[in-house]
Amino acid sequence: VVARIEHPNIVGVYDCGNLDSGFVYIVMERLKGRDLAKLVKAKGPGTPREVASILRQAGAALAAAHGTRLIHRDIKPENIFLIPLSDGGFQVKLVDFGLAKEISADSALTHSGTIVGTPLFMSPEQALADPMDFRSDIYSLAAVAYYILTGRFLSNESAFAKILADI
């Protein structure tokens, strides 16, 4: 499904299949840079201008994925990759669609009952294994925005921590 999305802010997937040995393979675009989690750990929070650029590009990637009815379900700093550009800027690539789910045309929501994703960045409905839709990815991107602006996790300072504690 990800291979169908051709967007400059989504990692390119060129091929996939099964080998005779039974192993599954994916051929993807090779990226040179580092993920957002490593950058924040090394340099601290970003400037408002840097964060705006990251969010604009990551948001465009999510819009493209959502346009194909695909929910990422694991938006977190580790899955937002930054590639340095020669002009001093960077290009964002959304990676790791391993937990992604395609929503069929006849179903607007994912099924409830299974928790997938990274707790510190997942939406409350995702944490509670309730039905979710594209808005869950947007919530997760907002949690990432908070983290890269402050260096702190949103869930440590909100009622969301209580939801996680009650699970």
Side-chain angles (χ1 to χ4, degrees), residues 71 73 101-103 107-114 125-126 129-134 136:
I71 300 176
R73 301 196 309 171
K101 179 170 179 68
E102 187 174 21
I103 297 179
S107 172
L109 303 173
T110 61
H111 294 87
S112 63
T114 304
E125 63 272 14
Q126 189 174 1
D130 286 343
M132 53 186 258
D133 61 19
F134 305 113
S136 184

Side-chain angles (χ1 to χ4, degrees), residues 64-140:
H66 294 167
T68 64
R69 305 202 50 81
L70 188 69
I71 300 176
H72 189 283
R73 301 196 309 171
D74 198 20
I75 300 298
K76 60 184 177 181
E78 290 85 350
N79 290 339
I80 299 174
F81 200 86
L82 303 178
I83 301 167
L85 300 174
S86 59
D87 65 2
F90 54 85
Q91 180 182 14
V92 168
K93 290 280 187 172
L94 188 58
V95 301
D96 193 356
F97 283 78
L99 296 179
K101 179 170 179 68
E102 187 174 21
I103 297 179
S104 65
D106 60 348
S107 172
L109 303 173
T110 61
H111 294 87
S112 63
T114 304
I115 298 174
V116 296
T118 302
L120 289 172
F121 297 97
M122 65 175 54
S123 66
E125 63 272 14
Q126 189 174 1
L128 294 170
D130 286 343
M132 53 186 258
D133 61 19
F134 305 113
R135 294 171 292 183
S136 184
D137 281 347
I138 303 302
Y139 179 98
S140 297

